[in-house]
Amino acid sequence: MFNYQFAKPQHQLLTPYVEYFVQLDGTGVLFKSIHSRLSTSFLMDFDQGTFYDGQSMKTGLLNVKDKMVQFSPVDSHSAPADKFFVSFTPYGLSMFTRLPMQELSSGTVSGEDIFGSSFHRLYEQLQPEPFAARVSLFEAFLLQRFTAPHASHQLIVDLADGIKNNIGSSPFGQLQALPLSERQIERNFKRYIGISMSRFLRISRFEWAKQLIANQPSLRLTDVAHLAGYFDQSHFIADFKRLTGVSPKNFQVCCSSHQRMSV
């Protein structure tokens, strides 16, 4: 049986950039579909029995931007699970590494690639520790690497928050108010978020629609599409199916029948 432990960041400075920490341990066979999302999850796999999108991994980003991937154990692996996750906000990781986010937006990237050679020592420190100690140690590691966003970085942070929190409205008004050219905005958006603004908006709409279906199962799908800012119902259905592998109707049925799906 698997056990989950969950914690929000303890340090106030990290709150805008780190969503939560999760630990998964225990025994069983884990197969998980990870739907497209704006956040980026970093995995430290201490049992070393994980395949992510067909690749074996020990540490790395579960960086899902516009596709669904499969996250599963190695078939022959029988040791108890021991996995520690850190979920960053869409721009959160850019505060702790100098690497442009678009370089981290495809495939699996190791902890050493992101944070440097010192990350290996952190991995060894965390391995024998309980969940609470792992959270504290990882937070201390991040705080040592934190760099406050400069003006153009903060503009992109604010723009991303504005898009995500105002799904039904166009971001055009926000863009006009920025002291940057369209080309500069797009370049900086990819640097600090990892994807284009249009893809960010698309996944924001999808995430909002998914949450509406999960949290309000009696809501009509036509209303979901409207509230999430889709142009029409066919666009909503096609986009949702591409990003989850199932239609909105099937997803709604699964949610209403209390079947466990990745949200």
Side-chain angles (χ1 to χ4, degrees), residues 17-221:
Y17 312 117
V18 178
E19 293 182 331
Y20 53 79
F21 300 90
V22 173
Q23 182 163 297
L24 166 67
D25 53 46
T27 57
V29 179
L30 175 69
F31 292 95
K32 186 175 181 65
S33 295
I34 304 178
H35 297 152
S36 300
R37 59 182 62 178
L38 295 175
S39 60
T40 294
S41 293
F42 181 76
L43 166 68
M44 301 181 74
D45 190 351
F46 297 107
D47 65 78
Q48 299 180 40
T50 296
F51 273 160
Y52 171 73
D53 206 16
Q55 300 181 52
S56 178
M57 67 186 303
K58 178 179 176 181
T59 68
L61 290 181
L62 309 184
N63 203 341
V64 186
K65 294 300 185 185
D66 63 351
K67 66 176 182 177
M68 183 179 70
V69 299
Q70 299 297 318
F71 174 57
S72 62
V74 178
D75 292 340
S76 61
H77 190 72
S78 58
D82 184 7
K83 308 179 194 301
F84 182 75
F85 299 87
V86 184
S87 180
F88 293 93
T89 58
Y91 43 75
L93 186 57
S94 68
M95 307 295 170
F96 308 103
T97 178
R98 294 182 179 180
L99 290 175
M101 291 299 101
Q102 69 263 34
E103 294 185 11
L104 307 177
S105 62
S106 61
T108 56
V109 184
S110 72
E112 286 81 0
D113 291 336
I114 302 167
F115 301 112
S117 58
S118 63
F119 186 80
H120 178 71
R121 185 181 174 209
L122 178 67
Y123 182 93
E124 293 183 331
Q125 284 181 312
L126 265 61
Q127 187 161 13
E129 297 291 344
F131 177 59
R134 286 177 174 178
V135 170
S136 296
L137 286 168
F138 204 100
E139 285 200 349
F141 181 82
L142 290 177
L143 289 168
Q144 291 175 355
R145 285 154 182 78
F146 175 73
T147 302
H150 51 72
S152 60
H153 193 171
Q154 186 63 48
L155 286 174
I156 298 303
V157 168
D158 294 340
L159 176 60
D161 282 341
I163 292 173
K164 191 171 74 164
N165 296 329
N166 298 279
I167 295 300
S169 61
S170 169
F172 183 70
Q174 295 180 67
L175 298 182
Q176 284 187 314
L178 295 181
L180 298 171
S181 68
E182 183 177 341
R183 183 176 180 181
Q184 287 174 317
I185 293 170
E186 190 62 50
R187 183 172 65 246
N188 285 340
F189 206 91
K190 288 181 179 179
R191 175 176 178 80
Y192 300 123
I193 308 293
I195 55 177
S196 67
M197 265 196 310
S198 60
R199 289 173 68 189
F200 186 89
L201 177 58
R202 178 182 177 220
I203 299 170
S204 294
R205 286 174 177 159
F206 161 71
E207 282 196 334
W208 185 241
K210 186 177 61 172
Q211 292 299 327
L212 286 171
I213 293 172
N215 297 330
Q216 301 183 48
S218 62
L219 198 63
R220 296 186 308 170
L221 291 177

